[in-house]
Amino acid sequence: MPYPRRDLVRLKRLQRCFLYAVIALLFVSGTVWAYWNYLVPEPGDFVLSAKAWAIKIHGGAAMAVLVLVGMLLNGHVRFAWRARRNRGNGALFLATFGILTITGYGLYYSGAERLRAWTSWIHLAAGLALSLLLILHIWIGKRTRPAAQLQKRRASLAESTWSGR
């Protein structure tokens, strides 16, 4: 099946809502934790408590996103790869997600402080990059949809027809 049905590649509305909500939760909780951990010089009781909650929320959302990415691999990724759509950015997105998974595991289980420091910075950079890659992936995906391409061709054909009179 070289060109799967459009509805097999495109995520359903509920899937998109869950995925975007969990990724937003990951981004916000990770960014808030990083801000309080690296940029607040003398944290008080509130910051220490909020930082602990941010990392707990981040860990819970990380488990949820693992389930959601598994769901994506079974449908969205497989069918989009077969249709040769958005492969480069999708592969980069999955590779970055893999780095986040490995570094997240390392942060949880690493005992060496030096390794943990490096892992933390790599995890933070990959997390910020993943957010940008997701936006780029969605934008490229919308531009490369077969229906969008057909609509562009029709619009340019109609424009050339009207300008030819």
Side-chain angles (χ1 to χ4, degrees):
M1 169 170 31
Y3 295 103
R5 290 187 342 242
R6 179 180 76 176
D7 59 334
L8 294 177
V9 174
R10 190 164 182 217
L11 296 178
K12 291 174 180 46
R13 182 180 169 89
L14 189 60
Q15 290 174 324
R16 278 196 318 270
C17 288
F18 276 135
L19 184 66
Y20 296 165
V22 170
I23 288 178
L25 188 61
L26 280 167
F27 178 78
V28 170
S29 62
T31 305
V32 164
W33 181 87
Y35 172 77
W36 283 329
N37 193 59
Y38 296 119
L39 299 177
V40 175
E42 294 182 26
D45 289 341
F46 171 76
V47 171
L48 290 174
S49 176
K51 192 170 104 172
W53 272 105
I55 205 68
K56 288 175 187 177
I57 291 169
H58 192 72
M63 289 182 226
V65 85
L66 286 170
V67 172
L68 291 169
V69 168
M71 171 197 67
L72 291 176
L73 288 172
N74 187 40
H76 175 76
V77 173
R78 182 170 50 132
F79 292 123
W81 192 266
R82 241 185 239 165
R84 300 183 186 277
R85 289 191 46 218
N86 210 353
R87 276 185 171 183
N89 183 264
L92 187 58
F93 183 84
L94 287 174
T96 305
F97 185 79
I99 290 168
L100 282 168
T101 303
I102 292 166
T103 56
Y105 179 84
L107 285 169
Y108 195 75
Y109 288 108
S110 175
E113 276 306 308
R114 191 169 182 191
L115 176 63
R116 189 172 171 75
W118 276 99
T119 305
S120 180
W121 283 108
I122 293 168
H123 190 79
L124 180 60
L128 294 173
L130 189 80
S131 302
L132 297 174
L133 287 172
L134 178 63
I135 292 167
L136 184 63
H137 185 74
I138 293 166
W139 182 72
I140 291 172
K142 286 184 178 185
R143 288 183 48 124
T144 60
R145 280 187 195 154
Q149 292 173 346
L150 182 61
Q151 193 173 16
K152 279 184 188 177
R153 282 190 216 128
R154 286 181 183 163
S156 66
L157 182 63
E159 188 176 297
S160 65
T161 304
W162 285 103
S163 62
R165 286 187 178 187

